[in-house]
Amino acid sequence: MKSKTAQLAGNGTEIVRLFARLALGVSFLSAVADRFGVWGPYGAKNVSWGDFARFVEYTRAVMSLFPSSWAVPFAWAATVAETLLGILLLAGLKTRLASALSGVLLLLFALGMATGLGIKTPLDYSVFSAAAAAFLLAFWEPDRFTLDKLLDQHRYLRG
């Protein structure tokens, strides 16, 4: 039988994993929503882009080491990746893979921000911290509130 301390630590770890997964997933989807004006038009309170064209311009600045003609494909690739990873993280499906890919995406984004906008920008927006959280999540067992765990239990019961 587990001690109370071990049980509390286990529950705390479970909550931290759930929090990290949901925070990363919601953050990705919120950023995507901003690109399509869901949070309002450019200039509205707490709106970064407000439309996809402004996001493409931001992408051009972030990826300043690449030809500017690559901005549109990079913007779409980032948008598709963030949408897919956000959904996978919220659902807890392929959690470890989604977390590892999120860490890579965030680290690339942080490095792009640092080279294109200066090191202070990714530090101020905690992009390195978010990448670190994603990588930590990739090494943890998925929390019990994931589809991964539900599917594992279903497989176990079936066979």
Side-chain angles (χ1 to χ4, degrees):
M1 184 154 81
K2 282 186 174 180
S3 72
K4 282 249 188 238
T5 305
Q7 191 173 13
L8 285 172
N11 289 339
T13 301
E14 195 85 21
I15 291 166
V16 168
R17 291 192 311 239
L18 175 64
F19 177 60
R21 185 170 57 79
L22 295 179
L24 287 166
V26 168
S27 294
F28 280 144
L29 294 177
S30 176
V32 169
D34 191 337
R35 292 167 207 173
F36 295 105
V38 173
W39 298 123
Y42 179 74
K45 185 176 181 180
N46 298 319
V47 172
S48 296
W49 305 293
D51 61 48
F52 201 73
R54 288 192 193 279
F55 178 67
V56 170
E57 289 307 312
Y58 178 76
T59 302
R60 189 169 279 116
V62 167
M63 49 163 283
S64 62
L65 296 178
F66 296 92
S68 68
S69 62
W70 291 13
V72 171
F74 271 43
W76 276 110
T79 299
V80 169
E82 288 178 63
T83 301
L84 180 60
L85 293 171
I87 291 168
L88 289 173
L89 288 167
L90 286 180
L93 186 60
K94 301 291 183 188
T95 306
R96 285 183 155 168
L97 177 62
S99 298
L101 291 174
S102 295
V104 170
L105 181 65
L106 287 161
L107 185 57
L108 290 172
F109 186 48
L111 293 172
M113 289 173 79
T115 58
L117 306 171
I119 189 64
K120 189 171 180 326
T121 304
L123 293 173
D124 286 354
Y125 288 98
S126 303
V127 185
F128 288 111
S129 303
F135 286 128
L136 282 171
L137 196 55
F139 286 99
W140 258 331
E141 189 68 26
D143 62 81
R144 70 181 119 164
F145 306 106
T146 62
L147 282 177
D148 290 333
K149 284 292 186 186
L150 184 66
L151 293 171
D152 283 347
Q153 287 173 348
H154 182 67
R155 276 186 227 123
Y156 175 78
L157 293 174
R158 281 186 37 206

